[in-house]
Structure formats: structure tokens, C-alpha cells
Amino acid sequence: MKKYIYILIFILIASSCFDNLDKQPDFISENLVFEDQNLTEAYIADLYERLNFQTSTDVFMGIRGAAGAEYTGFGNWQPANGVATRQYIAETGPGNLDRWLYTPIRDMNFLLEEIESSTTFSQEYITMKKAEVRFLRAFAYFEMVKTFGGVPLVLRVQDINEPIENLRVSRDKEEDVYDYIFNELEDILNDYSENKTGANGRADRYAVLMLQSRAMLYAASIARNGSVELDGVVGIPSSRQNEFFERSYNASKEIIDSGLFQLYDQNPDRVQNYRNIFLDEGNDEIIFAEIFEPFIKGHDWDFMAFPAGFNATWNSNWTVMYDFVELFDFTDGRSGKIERSQFTNQNLWDIDDFFGNRDPRFRASVFYPETEFQGRKVFFHSNTVYFENGERRVSTQEAQNFQTLNGEIFPGAAPQRNRIRSGFQLRKRVDDSNTLPQAANSGQDYVIFRYAETLLNYAEAAYYLNRAGESLDAINQIRERVGMPLHTQLDEEKIRNERQVELCFEDHRYYDLVRWRIAHEVLSVRTAGMVYSYHLDEDKYAITLNNAENLERVFEPRRYYLPFGLNRLAENPNLVQNPGF
């Protein structure tokens, strides 16, 4: 879709430039945009683009996962590190986690008002386009409310000639913003057919239901776990939690009952099957995605995430935290959390057991020592211990090779960029077939909603609505897909852990920890990495822990709502600052 829109825009521009070179350039009147279907579609495509579902280039792609301590950036200068180390105060504002979307919202409001005056379009087309833009507007408000709490609901185009007191709008209550999102989506739901278009990048009925499912779950969590302050500008009364859980449950159930979506299950290899969810584009698990095409509208995912030594000139940028690795249990039911005192230079570990027998979602999502990739192994060890003429020696040279008993070749040390910080690298969504990753040449779509999240939202809502059997069944469907032992009963911790490992590195964890109000416990931590020493004769590793970030993360409870910067407050004194700032 994007490919054709970019070509369309180019043709429109080129034709106006080349046809009348002797004339002054003409500009397309605003009144004509909603008389020409091509112009209207290009206008709406631009609105999708400006919502910025995924930052598509460079190191900014890693910000949200880094905020949730799933991983960190390679260098201290990178924005992914800044979200953890910066001070969140009024003087500096929300930084790179800012979501202030009133500029695209104004253009959404403009379309919603002006398209009704079209003399060209059918009423059916007008209704369809308005429904699509109203979905985008609701999505924009959800992005803001989960960041700041209550924000001003501006649902019309403001006239710059209005009195200044009209332009300086006040914040609405947080619960009112969530009610607006639900009611807006409910109102447009029947404007969509039952056809699926979300995997192709255009909102459909099921994207609407998924936004209801996710947003209402957030609202219910805040009502359950948070507190009301500033007369309701932030926080939701606890008395409304079941109402919001019910809304989320119903939206999820409608998607489930439609029978149009299913968990991806095309490959008997559980690791490769999970990996392919994000590479086999348009599959029946994908409910809504942002579409990418290499170079036309490409992104840098492979360029940034490839491990060192695999043809990427800029690589190894997102190092996964061991704290997060611990959440992935073993396939035989053992806990993924091993007593940390066991990580000493004296203990040797079989790497195939330590990593190779973990949850397939870990093996599909993380580069770890001896991961198979593009026909070779990825190495992370800092040195090789071996015996020569009866003497113990240690090699730290990348260029020095050793042959193991089974004929494999190991370097004396892994490339430096693989070793820095944590000893793990992010793999999820990496395209193995990309043999020469470059800037903007990755085309993997960014999955916004998928069916596994539907089941997770459904399970969480059902659990708190005392529908334990339905909750257990939904969780076990997800676990069965990856070959993990099924649960016989659930508690809150199991539901939350399942969500974190299933949706890992998909920009969920930070916001989940915030809505559960446990971020101040989980994210206030000195994150751990691993240092590996390969013992050649035993074909095992000594593993020790290090401080992955050279700092202790601190998440202050006041950060459940991010601060407005002083400039934003100066522009509109009616924006009440969030508590604690």
C-alpha cells in the first residue's frame, strides 16, 4: 500500500511540475483534497505515517524496549540508554518517550470536518474514511493517555483567531479519555465490514476491537493498581475496574469468536515457527501491522541488530539484559532463574543445556553463545582457556582459532561488539536472509496487534473477572504453540510472566510494568550481563555476572505519569503538571 502511495504522490508532484514549466507553481487547494480520491488516500496515508507506530531508522528504534529494561544500547550516547539514565523532571520533560500528537490530531479533525462537504465522494466512501481516521485519532489519544494520564480532548479544528482562553484547553480526566476511546471505537465499529485488511496496513474492524481490547485493559489495570490524584486528571476510581475489564474481555472475545485469526503454527520447529510470525508477512496471526518495503519505506532493524561478524557495518546495537533472560523458563519446567551465586569462574556450564533448552521464544528472540545464524555460530566469549604442553593458557585474541574435539572452529575471543555490556544480543524480527544489511533495507512489517495479544488480553481480563477456566485455556493455547508445559492453574504472576515472554521486544513491557504499578520495583535495578570464558578441553563455559549498564536504574513512583516540559507548560498554563514534578 505504502509503495503505491509514494508513487502516487511523486506522480502528482511531477505532473504539476512538468506540464506547465512556464507558469508559476500551483498549490493544491485544501478544498480539492476531499474531491479527489487519490489525494484523500495520500492524506490519510500521511496520518498513518505521522502516528509513528515504529521509529523506522537508526538507534531510535530501540527506545521503548530499552525503557522496559529488556535491552540497552551499545553506546552511552544512544537514545536507548538515555531513557534509563536521564532525569525525568519538569525542566527536561518526557524526553524520547514523549507522545504529544496534537499536530496530526488537528489534521485528523480537519478531514473529519471537511470531507462531509465533498461533492464527489459517495456517502459510503465518506463514512468509511471517517471511520478510519477516527480509529487513528483514538489510537493517538491512547498513546498520550498511557504516557501522561488525562490529556485535553480536542475533537475539532481550533481556529487561531479564537480567544486565547479557548485555545488554552485544560486536561480532561484520565477516565474520561479512556471512555472517549471506548465510545469512539464502539461508534465506528459497524462502519467496517467483516473483511480483514489490517495485515495490509489499513485499519479494519478487528484493529478497532484490538484497540478496545488493549486500551480497556490498561484502564482496568490503572483502576485496580493506581490511585486518583489531581481530582481525577490522573488515576481511575477503583470502582470502575470490572467495567473496564469487561470491555476488554468483550472486545477480545469478539475477535476470538470471529474465527478469522489463529496462532501461527506452520513449522514443526518451535523456534523457527515463532521466529516466522514476524517474517512470514500477512499470516493469520497478524491483526494490524505497519507495512515496510526495503528502500521504498525501509527500516534499519537488521542493520542495527545483526551480531558482529555477519556483514553489517553497524551491528550489535541492542544488548539484552540477563535480568530479562531469567524470565524464560526451561522446556522441562525448570525455572529460568538460577541462583546467581553459582556463576563463578570455578563452575562450568554446558551451553546447550543452559540456553538451548530454554523456552523456544528465548531461542527465537535472543542471540546467545553458539547461536546458529546464517550457517555459522555467533560467539560471545571473552577468552578461551586451553592447555598446551601441560600448561594452562588463556587466549583473548579474536584472530586465534582453536579446533574442538568434534572439529568445530572457535576463535580465541568473540568480536568486541558482541562482548560489550551483557553478552546477549536482540534477535527477534531479524531477517536471516538479509545477507548484506544496510540502512533502510529491512522490510519486516511492524506488528501492532496480533492474535497472541488477543489471547493474553482475554486471559488477563477473564482472570480478574473470576473466569479462571477461560483464562487458563487462553494461556495454555499460547504455551502449547511453543511446546512449553501447560499450566494446571494460574495466578497473577504466571499471567504477567507469560505476557512478558510472549510479547518480548514488541514495545509492550515498559507500559505493562507501568499499568501494573510495579515498574518502581522491577526497573529499579542494577542490570546484569554475562561474561563467558570458553574452556576448550571441557567444551564448556565459565560464566560470571557483570554490571551491564555501569549504573543502577532508578524508576521513581512519580514516573508512572511522565512530566510535561516547561516549554509545553508555558505555551498552555492550563496544563496542570503531573504529581511529583
Side-chain angles (χ1 to χ4, degrees), residues 361-378:
R361 291 170 289 192
F362 166 76
R363 289 177 277 157
S365 303
V366 178
F367 287 115
Y368 54 88
E370 301 190 32
T371 304
E372 295 286 345
F373 182 60
Q374 295 188 336
R376 293 186 287 137
K377 287 188 173 182
V378 184

Side-chain angles (χ1 to χ4, degrees), residues 217 221 245 456-464 495 499 515-516:
L217 187 65
S221 297
F245 278 130
L456 288 164
N457 294 352
Y458 180 77
E460 188 172 342
Y463 177 79
Y464 291 117
I495 291 171
R499 185 179 185 89
R515 69 180 174 89
W516 292 331

Side-chain angles (χ1 to χ4, degrees), residues 18-34:
F18 299 150
D19 288 349
N20 297 289
L21 296 179
D22 58 332
K23 295 182 179 181
Q24 292 294 320
D26 293 327
F27 293 94
I28 298 172
S29 167
E30 289 180 340
N31 296 328
L32 296 179
V33 172
F34 306 122

Side-chain angles (χ1 to χ4, degrees), residues 212-226:
Q212 277 190 331
S213 170
R214 185 188 291 180
M216 295 305 100
L217 187 65
Y218 275 57
S221 297
I222 293 163
R224 179 179 177 83
N225 304 309

Side-chain angles (χ1 to χ4, degrees), residues 325-456:
V325 171
E326 288 180 310
L327 300 181
F328 294 88
D329 292 336
F330 290 87
T331 54
D332 61 7
R334 285 178 292 154
S335 171
K337 294 184 178 180
I338 296 171
E339 175 56 52
R340 291 190 174 190
S341 63
Q342 294 188 47
F343 297 120
T344 69
N345 286 318
Q346 287 70 47
N347 283 345
L348 297 183
W349 302 83
D350 182 328
I351 213 71
D352 288 333
D353 177 62
F354 190 83
F355 292 125
N357 288 325
R358 285 182 186 260
D359 190 320
R361 291 170 289 192
F362 166 76
R363 289 177 277 157
S365 303
V366 178
F367 287 115
Y368 54 88
E370 301 190 32
T371 304
E372 295 286 345
F373 182 60
Q374 295 188 336
R376 293 186 287 137
K377 287 188 173 182
V378 184
F379 296 110
F380 289 88
H381 58 288
S382 298
N383 58 58
T384 295
V385 178
Y386 64 102
F387 284 86
E388 187 174 74
N389 299 323
E391 294 186 12
R392 184 180 186 273
R393 300 184 184 277
V394 179
S395 171
T396 59
Q397 299 178 39
E398 296 179 28
Q400 184 176 4
N401 289 329
F402 296 88
Q403 183 168 314
T404 66
L405 292 176
N406 63 8
E408 291 187 302
I409 303 298
F410 271 63
Q416 184 189 32
R417 286 183 69 94
N418 285 353
R419 290 182 270 129
I420 288 179
R421 292 191 180 273
S422 75
F424 303 96
Q425 294 288 331
L426 173 61
R427 180 173 188 168
K428 195 172 193 176
R429 293 177 60 211
V430 168
D431 183 1
D432 295 39
S433 68
N434 190 347
T435 57
L436 189 62
Q438 304 172 49
N441 86 332
S442 292
Q444 303 94 307
D445 294 343
Y446 178 72
V447 178
I448 300 165
F449 298 129
R450 62 183 177 99
Y451 187 60
E453 186 197 344
T454 311
L455 293 173
L456 288 164

Side-chain angles (χ1 to χ4, degrees), residues 82-98 148 554 556 558-569 577-581:
V83 297
T85 60
R86 75 188 304 276
Q87 282 191 305
Y88 287 87
I89 56 178
E91 286 74 13
T92 57
N96 286 319
L97 292 175
D98 193 15
F148 297 107
V554 177
E556 301 170 297
R558 66 178 182 171
R559 270 182 56 193
Y560 285 120
Y561 300 101
L562 294 182
F564 297 117
L566 295 181
N567 290 341
R568 190 166 290 163
L569 293 173
Q577 181 62 282
N578 276 326
F581 296 103

